[in-house]
Amino acid sequence: YWSFFFIRTLDFQLKISYIITVHFSKNIKTMKYDFFCPTCNSVLNVNNNIVLAIQRDNNESGLIFLDTVLGNYTKVKHSSLKINEGEIVKIYCPVCHKDLLCLPDKNLARLMIKDNDGEKLTVLFSVKYGEESTYLVKDKKIEKTFGKHSANINFEMLSLCT
């Protein structure tokens, strides 16, 4: 009987734990986005990272992982890929290999996001290494800006990127 009671108690605790975990992860999920390539519509985020291919002017290339939280400028790359602060890099979709550059402003890259309500928005971000500027755009209007360098932008050019 004790082992049966223990199993029933453990099962009850696991169910409670599962309910708490599911509820907690649903609350967290409301703050996350899925990031898509604007060309091929491939999902580019894995866990908490956006996976992108980058290339320097000297043709050195590699992968970089950006944080999925807008305004968090944590990035991870291989230590052999040396990029200088302020250097402009080319950013590509790792799936279709199309340039994510936002024309006509060659200092911004563009991704699409889908929020939990299924609404598609545009995210523009600086391709200047170390520059912290990100723009969430809806219907060709800036909804929100992120980063300490976000004021350094030509907003007329920005509207042409979306």
Side-chain angles (χ1 to χ4, degrees):
Y1 290 118
W2 283 105
S3 61
F4 176 73
F5 177 73
F6 176 72
I7 291 170
R8 296 276 294 161
T9 304
L10 183 60
D11 184 47
F12 179 72
Q13 288 172 341
L14 288 174
K15 284 181 182 175
I16 297 249
S17 174
Y18 175 74
I19 291 167
I20 291 169
T21 304
V22 168
H23 179 69
F24 184 65
S25 58
K26 282 183 181 177
N27 288 339
I28 289 174
K29 195 172 182 181
T30 60
M31 298 184 297
K32 292 188 178 183
Y33 299 102
D34 282 330
F35 290 79
F36 298 89
C37 171
T39 303
C40 70
N41 288 315
S42 294
V43 177
L44 300 178
N45 54 298
V46 178
N47 289 333
N48 294 326
N49 295 302
I50 305 166
V51 181
L52 299 171
I54 61 172
Q55 184 179 27
R56 297 182 63 210
D57 282 340
N58 66 2
N59 289 329
E60 187 180 4
S61 59
L63 295 176
I64 192 166
F65 301 143
L66 304 179
D67 198 288
T68 56
V69 176
L70 297 176
N72 183 340
Y73 294 95
T74 303
K75 51 195 160 295
V76 178
K77 62 175 184 53
H78 193 275
S79 60
S80 67
L81 184 60
K82 305 290 184 205
I83 305 172
N84 300 317
E85 197 78 15
E87 181 178 347
I88 303 282
V89 294
K90 294 176 184 168
I91 298 182
Y92 298 92
C93 171
V95 178
C96 71
H97 308 289
K98 293 292 182 181
D99 192 344
L100 296 173
L101 196 61
C102 177
L103 297 173
D105 189 330
K106 296 180 181 181
N107 291 320
L108 294 173
R110 178 175 71 128
L111 293 174
M112 305 306 290
I113 62 171
K114 191 187 303 182
D115 65 13
N116 286 343
D117 297 327
E119 186 171 16
K120 288 188 178 180
L121 304 163
T122 302
V123 174
L124 303 173
F125 59 99
S126 176
V127 296
K128 188 182 287 188
Y129 194 77
E131 184 173 87
E132 297 179 0
S133 57
T134 306
Y135 310 90
L136 183 60
V137 182
K138 178 182 176 183
D139 299 325
K140 298 196 178 220
K141 293 180 184 161
I142 298 171
E143 287 286 308
K144 193 159 185 172
T145 61
F146 304 88
K148 61 185 175 188
H149 303 112
S150 62
N152 306 342
I153 191 71
N154 178 343
F155 288 101
E156 289 177 31
M157 296 293 267
L158 186 65
S159 67
L160 299 173
C161 290
T162 58

